[in-house]
Amino acid sequence: ESVAAFPSRAAMADQEAHEAALEEKARKWQQLNAKRYGISRKFGYVEPEKQEMPPEHVRKIIKDHGDMSSRKFRHDKRVYLGALKFVPHAVFKLLENMPMPWEQVRHCKVIYHVTGAITFINETPKVIEPVYVAQWATMWIMMRREKRDRRHFKRMRFPPFDDEEPPLDYADNLLDVDPLEAIELELDEDEDSAVYEWFYDHMPLKHTKFINGDSYRKWQVPLPIMATLYRLAGQLLSELTDK
């Protein structure tokens, strides 16, 4: 005579509790990963994508905040004080992106605080080393002539501003002033034909097959270009060869 064996109530209760514990564990794991890898931030806040604004926007913010003694800016003063510790970095980015002598102007992307407390240039300049050395070598020649003729530079008296003088507004005083012409060595159309078209461009050869793309990290240029660059860079290159 055969007897069918059924699980006891205690065994069924244990199995249900085990499954419930597993489900709870899986739910917590899913929650943890959603927090770690999800796009939403704390309190359900999703950071909006920032739109590029025209330069007039930041100019107006800075102009409006020119006189911080106004009562409507009393809440912004704390932000301005907090921004002071980032001023060295802002100056560093400004110096890093300074236009080269062969550039008349350079347009950069900037990132700025909504109160106008601080502005950073949001770019890191990259160069092709042999091109950059050759550009500065031609500048060395032109600067020697410049020291003799003094066409681009004028002596400056210090201090340039009086202590009580308010800072100059860029839009009112500088925006309509034409920049001085760039300093460029006159290249020979035949002898320097390999580099003649693009030598003084900002980020030269950027959209060509010689550069890996927009990142501007890797380059490979043919022999005629390298030979011309080496000849132009002769003023700055050492005559000593490594042994």
Side-chain angles (χ1 to χ4, degrees):
E1 185 180 332
S2 62
V3 179
F6 293 101
S8 66
R9 281 185 181 178
M12 286 176 70
D14 282 350
Q15 192 175 350
E16 282 175 8
H18 180 64
E19 284 174 4
L22 276 176
E23 279 180 20
E24 178 66 19
K25 201 172 180 181
R27 192 173 61 78
K28 282 187 175 175
W29 177 249
Q30 202 171 0
Q31 260 185 348
L32 180 71
N33 280 328
K35 276 184 186 174
R36 190 185 297 169
Y37 302 115
I39 57 162
S40 59
R41 300 288 186 267
K42 206 173 178 185
F43 308 121
Y45 175 73
V46 179
E47 192 175 330
E49 190 178 339
K50 291 182 173 65
Q51 298 295 323
E52 281 194 14
M53 303 294 287
E56 289 77 21
H57 188 251
V58 68
R59 284 177 198 152
K60 185 176 187 312
I61 289 173
I62 292 168
K63 189 172 183 178
D64 290 349
H65 284 70
D67 181 16
M68 289 296 289
S69 59
S70 173
R71 270 183 63 79
K72 65 179 178 179
F73 298 132
R74 64 187 184 278
H75 300 301
D76 290 349
K77 286 181 182 174
R78 200 166 167 190
V79 179
Y80 272 68
L81 288 171
L84 285 175
K85 66 178 177 182
F86 299 108
V87 168
H89 186 68
V91 173
F92 161 70
K93 292 300 289 182
L94 192 66
L95 293 172
E96 187 183 54
N97 287 276
M98 187 183 289
M100 296 293 118
W102 56 87
E103 293 175 317
Q104 197 172 22
V105 290
R106 183 188 287 191
H107 298 283
C108 301
K109 291 184 177 180
V110 301
I111 188 164
Y112 55 93
H113 195 270
V114 288
T115 60
I118 198 155
T119 305
F120 298 106
I121 294 181
N122 198 23
E123 287 183 15
T124 303
K126 295 189 177 94
V127 297
I128 304 168
E129 192 177 339
V131 176
Y132 192 61
V133 173
Q135 285 169 330
W136 270 111
T138 60
M139 286 304 102
W140 190 84
I141 297 166
M142 293 305 292
M143 291 293 187
R144 287 188 67 185
R145 296 175 190 172
E146 173 58 37
K147 277 183 181 176
R148 186 189 66 204
D149 301 337
R150 287 278 172 218
R151 286 196 313 122
H152 292 87
F153 293 92
K154 293 181 176 64
R155 295 201 180 276
M156 198 172 166
R157 62 176 182 82
F158 283 94
F161 300 110
D162 187 54
D163 288 349
E164 301 300 317
E165 195 175 344
L168 289 174
D169 182 67
Y170 176 81
D172 292 345
N173 297 283
L174 301 172
L175 193 58
D176 299 327
V177 178
D178 290 329
L180 295 171
E181 58 185 283
I183 304 172
E184 293 180 2
L185 180 71
E186 198 173 332
L187 300 175
D188 187 273
E189 203 164 342
D190 297 323
E191 197 178 11
D192 306 317
S193 57
V195 302
Y196 186 80
E197 295 292 330
W198 49 263
F199 186 63
Y200 286 120
D201 289 353
H202 176 56
M203 297 182 82
L205 299 175
K206 185 174 181 181
H207 300 293
T208 63
K209 61 183 179 182
F210 306 126
I211 305 293
N212 70 321
D214 285 344
S215 67
Y216 210 69
R217 282 189 181 161
K218 295 177 184 173
W219 53 270
Q220 188 171 10
V221 294
L223 196 59
I225 292 178
M226 283 300 289
T228 309
L229 292 174
Y230 184 79
R231 180 168 49 77
L232 290 170
Q235 301 287 349
L236 297 185
L237 294 178
S238 172
E239 292 178 3
L240 301 172
T241 53
D242 294 336
K243 293 182 182 177

